Amino acid sequence: MSMLLDVQNLESWYGPIKAMQGVNLTVSAGQIVAVLGANGAGKTTLLNTLAGVLDPFKGKIRFDGTETQGLDADAIARRGLVLVPEGRQVYPFLSVADNLTMGAYARRDKRVAQDRAQVLDWFPRLRERLNQQAGLLSGGEQQMLAIGRAWMSGPKLLMLDEPSLGLSPLLMREIFGIIARIRQETGVAVLVVEQNAAVALNHADFGYIMELGRVVAADSCEALKAKDDVRDAYLGVAGHGSSGTAQRWKRKRNWR
Ligand SMILES: Nc1ncnc2c1ncn2[C@@H]1O[C@H](COP(=O)(O)OP(=O)(O)OP(=O)(O)O)[C@@H](O)[C@H]1O
Ligand SMILES: [Mg+2]
């Protein structure tokens, strides 16, 4: 598989606060890659830096053959590195149909109608609500619309920041089912940040775990699921040798 995204030694700051450092990460064509980590670990910072919302202080981002660090967000999205931000951010006063149209505003090719039909096939609920204001959709439907709108911009790599946040377990599975279908039917790669580690590790091929702005583990999801530290910290399963929650959290993790 060819390398689609290659991130080297990436570092980002918010003013005086270093939020992410030394991050190396790759995504191959057609791969689903998950990024896990506690609140404040730097996951959103990573995606925002890749999307050009935030300029890195250091490091290289190579996407689909060109270096994209320092380019503005529009230029990066036009190359096919597209972010669905945390909290959905659909245009609340526009209809579902117009939100989808907005996703395609920068495109010059003739496949827009085809992509719109594709989105409505993946998300039949959006078809039923095409003329409804986006702000009146449920949380799950807004997430579907946000993914659909991102699809309309023609991604080669779709980045999703916590797509299941605030959703019921049923909707969570539905959203991840569609993510798997998008990859299977189109071969587009996905980089997904997710709080629900179990769901993410069950749907992705490869995973990264971040802590305090750094990548502390990177492995296939199968291997990550088998690590005691991952099971303890993210899957809510006690590893052997730990008795009681307090002790488990205090234990030094080495991520092996
Ligand atoms: N706009 C900002 N200004 C200053 N510091 C920020 C800003 N956004 C994030 N940070 C800090 O950067 C660090 C990483 O934050 P980030 O939002 O990337 O974490 P996260 O892993 O996405 O967390 P969550 O799971 O809560 O979404 C945190 O320490 C956070 O407080
Ligand atoms: Mg975040």
Side-chain angles (χ1 to χ4, degrees), residues 14 17 19 38-45 86 162 195:
Y14 297 100
I17 300 165
N39 293 117
K43 307 179 299 295
T44 296
T45 303
E86 202 171 9
E162 307 218 19
Q195 283 274 331

Side-chain angles (χ1 to χ4, degrees), residues 96-134:
V96 167
D98 288 347
N99 265 275
L100 292 176
T101 303
M102 290 296 284
Y105 82 97
R107 283 175 65 178
R108 307 272 177 270
D109 60 277
K110 299 201 164 59
R111 289 170 41 96
V112 172
Q114 197 178 321
D115 281 343
R116 190 172 182 277
Q118 172 89 80
V119 166
L120 299 180
D121 179 49
W122 285 331
F123 301 112
R125 284 174 210 218
L126 296 182
R127 188 194 299 280
E128 292 160 20
R129 291 166 178 76
L130 271 177
N131 297 316
Q132 188 171 317
Q133 267 190 19

